[in-house]
Amino acid sequence: MTYGKNTALIVVDVQNDFCPGGALAVKNGNRVVSVINSLIDSFEIIIGTQDWHPVNHGSFASCNEGAEPFSVRALNGVSQVMWPDHCIQGTHGADFHPDLHSDAFHLIIRKGTNPDIDSYSAFTENDGVTPTGLKGCLNELGVRKVYVTGLATDFCVMYTALDAVKTGFETYVIEDACKGVDFPEGNVLKAVSAMKEAGIRVVQSADVRL
Ligand code: VGL
Ligand code: ZN
């Protein structure tokens, strides 16, 4: 059984650099892999995303003179956390986690490719206006409902889900199929509240799996 063609599973940034041992490791980030794999058979449309930065990306502390990792600066007028170098195009860190069933993805959206702006959301860059193409693709496929999973709960998952609900999709976040950076501490809890407040339904994988 599947949810059919009006429902998509979105798997956000399950990449080596966001897993233990990676450049921007999310605590227990690897644990989402088996949960996401167990959901794949319930969906006919599965979209993967990949954080996909050039080496000179403006979100990297290393590209901003004197910036400490995890400090906050402005990048072309948009507030930006200065991240350690991560998910550089074509590197092992940017690859999907090796155990993730990424061959099941029908489409992969690569984001964060413009060095001048970050893109947490899989729909829109952090300027709030530049589209990645995901909305057009989902609309053309006839998708109305999305289930969001992956890394990190308080950054790319949250911004993707917030854009999805704002765009008019019925939006679910599968909580145990996500893990967060939790920077600053408490940020995951804050993200979950913000998502609920926006009308996103926060659910558990056991309740979603068919
Ligand atoms: C992410 C920080 C920087 C994410 C991406 O995938 O949540 N977080 N780049
Ligand atoms: Zn990034």
Side-chain angles (χ1 to χ4, degrees):
M1 263 239 299
T2 72
Y3 285 100
K5 291 194 188 304
N6 69 1
T7 305
L9 178 68
I10 301 180
V11 181
V12 176
D13 299 0
V14 181
Q15 293 166 266
N16 290 320
D17 269 344
F18 296 125
C19 291
L24 182 41
V26 172
K27 194 176 164 211
N28 296 325
N30 56 317
R31 294 200 190 167
V32 303
V33 172
S34 60
V35 181
I36 292 169
N37 286 342
S38 77
L39 288 163
I40 276 175
D41 285 343
S42 301
F43 290 87
E44 264 178 63
I45 297 176
I46 305 166
I47 315 278
T49 76
Q50 249 174 332
D51 211 34
W52 195 251
H53 298 308
V55 279
N56 63 336
H57 196 261
S59 74
F60 295 169
S62 65
C63 296
N64 292 268
E65 208 171 325
E68 288 292 328
F70 298 98
S71 63
V72 179
R73 289 212 178 172
L75 177 61
N76 298 308
V78 179
S79 172
Q80 177 67 55
V81 179
M82 299 282 98
W83 300 111
D85 294 12
H86 64 278
C87 296
I88 293 171
Q89 298 171 354
T91 64
H92 172 77
D95 286 345
F96 292 121
H97 187 288
D99 298 332
L100 182 70
H101 293 168
S102 57
D103 348 354
F105 297 167
H106 303 112
L107 173 81
I108 297 170
I109 294 279
R110 288 175 164 170
K111 61 185 182 59
T113 57
N114 178 350
D116 298 327
I117 183 125
D118 212 350
S119 187
Y120 293 148
S121 163
F123 288 93
T124 319
E125 296 187 348
N126 288 9
D127 59 4
V129 291
T130 307
T132 62
L134 180 56
K135 175 186 171 202
C137 170
L138 293 175
N139 285 343
E140 190 154 53
L141 289 169
V143 169
R144 290 188 305 100
K145 241 196 248 193
V146 297
Y147 286 81
V148 184
T149 63
L151 306 172
T153 316
D154 44 344
F155 287 94
C156 292
V157 168
M158 177 180 76
Y159 286 106
T160 297
L162 288 173
D163 272 351
V165 77
K166 200 165 80 186
T167 307
F169 295 102
E170 187 177 321
T171 306
Y172 298 80
V173 165
I174 309 175
E175 194 172 19
D176 57 324
C178 303
K179 294 276 181 226
V181 175
D182 211 26
F183 175 80
E185 207 187 311
N187 207 36
V188 169
L189 272 176
K190 212 174 114 189
V192 170
S193 312
M195 290 192 285
K196 285 180 177 165
E197 216 157 285
I200 294 160
R201 287 168 236 196
V202 178
V203 296
Q204 307 302 317
S205 60
D207 302 324
V208 172
R209 210 176 285 121
L210 296 178

